[in-house]
Amino acid sequence: MTTVQIGVEGMTCASCSQRVERALGKVAGVESAVVNLATERASVTFDPSLVQPDALLAAIDDHGYKATTADIDIAVGGMTCANCSQRVERTLKKLGGVLAANVNLATEHAIVRYLPDTVTPAQLKTAIRESGYEVIDAGTEDDAADVEREAHERHVARLRRDLMLAAGFATPLVLFVMLPMAIPSLQRGIDAALGPFVANLIGFALASVVQFGPARRFYTTGWASLRHGSPDMNALVMLGSSAAYGYSVVATFLPGVLPAGTAHTYFEASSAIIALILVGKYLEAITKGRTSEAIKKLLGLQPKTARVERGGEELELPVDQVVPGDVVAVRPGERLPVDGVVIGGSSYVDESMITGEPIPALKAEGAEVVGGTINHNGSLRLRATKVGADTVLAQIIKMVQDAQGAKMPIQALADRVVRYFVPVVMTLAAITFVVWLVFGPAPALTYALVNMVAVLIIACPCAMGLATPTSIMVGTGKGADMGILFRRGDALQTLQDAKVVALDKTGTLTKGKPELTDLTTTDGVSEADALRLAAAVERHSEHPIAGAVVAAATQRGLELPEADGFAAEPGYGVAATVEGRLVQVGAARYMALLGIDTGPLSRSAARLAAEGKTPLFAAVDGRLAAALAVADPIKETTPAAVQALHRAGLKVAMVTGDDRGTADAIAERLGIDHVLAEVLPDGKVDAVKQLQAGGTKVAFVGDGINDAPALAQADIGMAIGTGTDIAIEAADVILMSGDLQGIPNAIALSRATIANIKQNLFWAFIYNVILIPVAAGVLYPGFHVLLNPIIAAAAMGTSSIFVLSNALRLKGFRPRPLPAAKQRPTLEPRPAAA
């Protein structure tokens, strides 16, 4: 039985605690549950083979309360292969109170979700240290990146030192052994001058320095992995090199205990193995450092200080001391330290890091600005609205970090293989030794030893562990450079499976800033009066179409009267009393709902809809007064983006509240395949479900705010917008720019990343599948080919470097340029009624 302590939020009385207690007691596998109202904590004893802690949390949540959980991100040093990361993961999951643990070899981070009332961060870190790895602590969150960078630099420096020492002693040893084999006269000279025993002593001295110096790192971690029952790559290297070294020591000092003719030394092999593996690890560490450049670049955008006006003077303070409401001064050429609103001055600001737009945007009083962007030519005073972790840049960094630390479904197979890989290799090595010892040619013991060592050294779980996370790191980092933020790493995989891209119309396909284009009135109603009354009502609405009507009235200099009793019917229209008259403005369905006949202006409305405009009707005191048309200009990049999606083999759908005629006209112009028109705000989820019929994977693209339910329903939700829109929780992918080019770019990047992962996994698997049997000697009976352990060590390092280098190719990803915009011809307007 296991006992955990769970903090419970929301309990207010004894009946609450009893309710939670009963809920927990009903979970199958729970032996006892005691809930303390005063401490707001539940103590639960359960059988872990029958129930997991997540089920306990679900029982609490189902009854209206909230279980207290916490998340921690721990930087872990010393992991060298996939077995290492899995061992840390298993160690953490064994702790009572740990709900989930995800250890990423590429980022060298452990992300742990736990019950803070059961286990503490200190206990988590202690468990990591006891499993043989290093915990890299940072004093504050702001210092974390610097601490990790310094730790990585120390790790690289230690590898360089060990490599130089190993190479310095292994190289003369290899030359001392290999050159005489190639030059018989040199061999005779050495034998005459030194004799075999002295030559072996020299080999022993040189090899011992390597074995007890640079090789110590493999022994420390390898032995810990064996002690915990989860051997890793270090254990393979330790066993292989120590077998060669130990056998050579016996052959040098106790040759009589070995069968006749088998007292050979392999000091050069044991040393060369260590040196070559360190070469691979050193190059791997350098390459892994390059995979996280995206995060480093983003962190570099954060200013360290800000000029804050306090007490009548301007103070230069650390940026973490700025609070919302502070007035911050920004000089030309400086980066804005926080998000805020301009309250003084004007300047052009380079927002390319947010929007991807290379042209600086003019920022004057009242404009919103984003921290990390670059102020160009003017001085600005701004009032801070968001600081620290709430800023747009901080959210971007967190999104990229979260995505880089995620695991994809495609990684599941590699994880399962890696878990059993090293034990299987050790078994194969033992079988190799026995088979060669029993059936091998003389001297059988020598052949058995050499081939066993080759099997231990050639196996590389590192490549399998790095195959997926390195590609995710580089792919998500490249996406951030392009203004494409993957909130989850698995979104990279899901996106490339999409078959249909559904686009919300307003603000996505269009600019989201409609303009009034037409106004037709019934007999006895003037245009000015109809527009004035309609605008008076629409002024109280937040809908973009309402803004277009109000803007048109303002431009004509009309004075808008007050409106009383404003009421809105979402998806239909609005109504209010103006100058004692009831004014109702909305779509044709609103007029139908009200029982107002639109016949006198129906032909005009049909013509406007055929032109791709949105027709509205205005009624005064229950009688039709006017038909208005509003057009939302299509973004310049929309037609080309739709063509690019078609070229990528995708179907494109449009979801809109417009009437069927208007929607069809826009779809015809853009070449959209499927139209879902007259969709009310709460009907977008059903529209997505309709597209998903038959298991079709759907990506829904919306503005990230109004479309949140549809974004959540879709297989992949893509929020398109700028600035503060990146905080949308419902979306899986954030397109920072309003440019629709981001959609095909994101899909192309997703496909490129998944293809890269598949290449890595293929290489990692095929390398081991082919070379382990070769190392075991399967080619010897037919071809007399054996794999020298030194060559095996070089091949092992090469496999990891290959995977990392292949992942880095994604840094050069360039999306195909969009085709020139080719809108379909605008439909000819239908003739007006005679």
Side-chain angles (χ1 to χ4, degrees):
M1 290 291 174
T2 298
T3 300
V4 295
Q5 307 294 322
I6 307 174
V8 183
E9 301 172 18
M11 297 188 299
T12 57
C13 63
S15 62
C16 293
S17 59
Q18 288 183 5
R19 186 180 177 193
V20 173
E21 202 168 277
R22 286 195 299 271
L24 290 169
K26 290 178 181 177
V27 177
V30 171
E31 184 181 76
S32 65
V34 178
V35 180
N36 188 311
L37 178 63
T39 61
E40 295 185 317
R41 183 181 297 174
S43 178
V44 188
T45 301
F46 61 96
D47 184 345
S49 65
L50 299 176
V51 62
Q52 295 299 313
D54 281 337
L56 306 178
L57 271 58
I60 294 171
D61 291 346
D62 287 345
H63 284 73
Y65 304 95
K66 182 174 176 57
T68 304
T69 63
D71 295 280
I72 187 171
D73 188 338
I74 306 173
V76 183
M79 296 188 297
T80 57
C81 70
N83 289 78
C84 297
S85 58
Q86 287 200 0
R87 178 144 58 92
V88 175
E89 203 168 278
R90 288 195 297 271
T91 298
L92 290 169
K93 288 178 178 177
K94 286 178 183 176
L95 294 177
V98 171
L99 304 172
N102 178 15
V103 181
N104 190 302
L105 175 63
T107 61
E108 297 182 320
H109 273 247
I111 299 173
V112 188
R113 183 167 174 257
Y114 65 100
L115 299 172
D117 294 276
T118 301
V119 65
T120 66
Q123 290 171 310
L124 298 174
K125 294 175 182 179
T126 298
I128 293 173
R129 291 189 182 101
E130 288 179 350
S131 65
Y133 299 94
E134 177 188 0
V135 172
I136 303 170
D137 275 316
T140 67
E141 188 174 334
D142 292 337
D143 297 333
D146 291 336
V147 171
E148 288 176 29
R149 187 189 66 250
E150 291 169 4
H152 177 73
E153 290 173 353
R154 288 196 302 271
H155 173 60
V156 172
R158 287 195 296 267
L159 274 172
R160 186 189 304 113
R161 179 201 64 201
D162 288 348
L163 171 59
M164 297 303 291
L165 184 61
F169 283 86
T171 300
L173 178 54
V174 170
L175 293 175
F176 181 71
V177 174
M178 296 298 183
L179 280 179
M181 294 172 64
I183 308 173
S185 59
L186 182 59
Q187 180 69 65
R188 290 192 295 271
I190 292 175
D191 289 342
L194 301 176
F197 180 72
V198 174
N200 286 347
L201 282 179
I202 294 174
F204 168 75
L206 293 172
S208 296
V209 174
V210 176
Q211 204 68 24
F212 297 103
R216 185 178 178 185
R217 62 171 60 241
F218 299 110
Y219 280 81
T220 302
T221 311
W223 177 247
S225 72
L226 288 174
R227 192 172 67 249
H228 287 85
S230 55
D232 60 5
M233 181 275 296
N234 297 285
L236 295 179
V237 175
M238 176 188 73
L239 292 173
S241 64
S242 61
Y245 176 80
Y247 185 89
S248 301
V249 170
V250 173
T252 299
F253 297 102
L254 299 169
V257 304
L258 298 175
T262 63
H264 302 291
T265 60
Y266 299 96
F267 289 124
E268 79 287 352
S270 68
S271 300
I273 286 169
I274 298 300
L276 287 169
I277 290 176
L278 285 173
V279 168
K281 288 296 162 190
Y282 177 66
L283 294 175
E284 181 182 312
I286 293 174
T287 310
K288 281 171 67 176
R290 291 177 58 199
T291 62
S292 60
E293 285 178 359
I295 290 292
K296 295 175 187 174
K297 186 185 297 184
L298 289 171
L299 290 169
L301 298 177
Q302 294 181 310
K304 300 296 183 184
T305 61
R307 292 186 184 84
V308 182
E309 298 179 6
R310 288 183 183 172
E313 59 179 331
E314 189 175 286
L315 305 174
E316 186 161 347
L317 302 175
V319 73
D320 58 4
Q321 293 184 19
V322 180
V323 297
D326 275 343
V327 175
V328 179
V330 185
R331 297 174 183 173
E334 294 182 337
R335 288 190 182 273
L336 278 62
V338 293
D339 294 1
V341 176
V342 177
I343 60 173
S346 65
S347 179
Y348 283 92
V349 176
D350 179 358
E351 296 183 312
S352 58
M353 72 132 190
I354 297 293
T355 65
E357 297 290 340
I359 302 174
L362 178 63
K363 299 293 182 179
E365 192 168 337
E368 293 186 352
V369 290
V370 177
T373 54
I374 302 173
N375 180 30
H376 270 220
N377 57 336
S379 295
L380 293 174
R381 292 175 68 244
L382 54 101
R383 189 174 303 282
T385 55
K386 292 182 179 179
V387 300
D390 294 328
T391 63
V392 169
L393 181 57
Q395 291 182 51
I396 291 174
I397 292 171
K398 186 177 186 305
M399 283 184 192
V400 176
Q401 287 175 328
D402 289 347
Q404 290 187 342
K407 282 189 176 180
M408 284 189 183
I410 197 173
Q411 192 175 348
L413 174 62
D415 285 348
R416 287 197 298 271
V417 172
V418 165
R419 182 169 186 176
Y420 303 104
F421 181 78
V422 175
V424 168
V425 169
M426 293 172 67
T427 302
L428 289 174
I431 293 172
T432 299
F433 182 84
V434 172
V435 169
W436 278 94
L437 189 63
V438 174
F439 302 104
L445 181 60
T446 298
Y447 279 106
L449 174 71
V450 170
N451 291 310
M452 181 192 72
V453 171
V455 169
L456 290 170
I457 298 301
I458 195 72
C460 187
C462 312
M464 287 187 284
L466 293 169
T468 300
T470 50
S471 295
I472 294 176
M473 287 182 69
V474 180
T476 52
K478 184 64 182 179
D481 287 342
M482 298 166 60
I484 302 167
L485 299 180
F486 292 90
R487 289 188 63 245
R488 304 193 323 269
D490 59 359
L492 266 170
Q493 182 170 347
T494 309
L495 182 57
Q496 62 105 33
D497 292 328
K499 302 301 180 186
V500 175
V501 176
L503 301 143
D504 177 56
K505 188 196 72 130
T506 304
T508 303
L509 289 170
T510 64
K511 293 182 178 179
K513 296 180 180 179
E515 302 169 355
L516 184 69
T517 59
D518 298 84
L519 174 61
T520 306
T521 61
T522 55
D523 294 339
V525 181
S526 69
E527 288 190 3
D529 199 37
L531 181 58
R532 185 175 63 87
L533 293 174
V537 178
E538 295 284 19
R539 182 167 56 175
H540 297 276
S541 172
E542 296 180 353
H543 197 283
I545 288 179
V549 175
V550 174
T554 304
Q555 289 170 4
R556 296 190 187 189
L558 300 177
E559 185 174 343
L560 304 185
E562 290 297 320
D564 299 318
F566 174 82
E569 187 74 28
Y572 287 88
V574 294
T577 300
V578 182
E579 297 178 340
R581 291 181 284 181
L582 176 61
V583 180
Q584 296 160 311
V585 185
R589 57 179 173 269
Y590 188 40
M591 297 295 114
L593 184 68
L594 298 172
I596 297 173
D597 181 20
T598 59
L601 297 177
S602 60
R603 287 183 177 271
S604 294
R607 175 179 56 82
L608 296 169
E611 294 173 3
K613 300 173 182 177
T614 301
L616 301 174
F617 295 95
V620 178
D621 288 333
R623 295 182 59 190
L624 186 68
L628 305 87
V630 173
D632 187 359
I634 292 172
K635 294 177 181 177
E636 292 81 358
T637 57
T638 294
V642 171
Q643 291 176 49
L645 291 172
H646 282 149
R647 192 173 61 196
L650 298 164
K651 295 291 185 182
V652 182
M654 180 176 71
V655 180
T656 177
D658 288 347
D659 63 68
R660 171 60 63 178
T662 302
D664 285 343
I666 294 172
E668 177 66 22
R669 289 173 59 191
L670 297 176
I672 288 174
D673 304 294
H674 191 61
V675 178
L676 293 95
E678 301 180 11
V679 177
L680 300 179
D682 59 356
K684 289 184 178 179
V685 170
D686 291 332
V688 172
K689 288 180 179 178
Q690 182 180 333
L691 293 170
Q692 290 173 320
T696 302
K697 299 292 185 182
V698 175
F700 182 82
V701 187
D703 63 12
I705 300 174
N706 301 326
D707 302 310
L711 288 166
Q713 171 62 37
D715 298 281
I716 191 84
M718 304 177 75
I720 188 165
T722 58
T724 55
D725 284 347
I726 71 157
I728 305 306
E729 290 296 324
D732 304 297
V733 182
I734 312 295
L735 306 176
M736 298 302 295
S737 170
D739 191 340
L740 286 188
Q741 181 175 349
I743 303 171
N745 285 355
I747 293 170
L749 178 61
S750 170
R751 291 178 175 178
T753 304
I754 297 303
N756 191 271
I757 289 172
K758 289 178 178 177
Q759 293 162 6
N760 284 348
L761 288 173
F762 173 80
W763 167 259
F765 280 113
I766 205 69
Y767 162 88
N768 286 289
V769 167
I770 292 175
L771 292 187
I772 289 178
V774 172
V778 296
L779 297 180
Y780 186 80
F783 304 96
H784 291 277
V785 173
L786 290 176
L787 192 64
N788 189 304
I790 296 176
I791 304 299
M796 176 188 176
T798 302
S799 66
S800 294
I801 301 303
F802 180 91
V803 165
L804 286 162
S805 300
N806 189 51
L808 285 173
R809 289 193 310 111
L810 285 171
K811 293 170 70 70
F813 170 81
R814 295 288 183 274
R816 291 175 62 183
L818 291 182
K822 293 181 181 178
Q823 288 193 26
R824 296 191 181 186
T826 304
L827 294 180
E828 291 295 327
R830 296 179 185 176

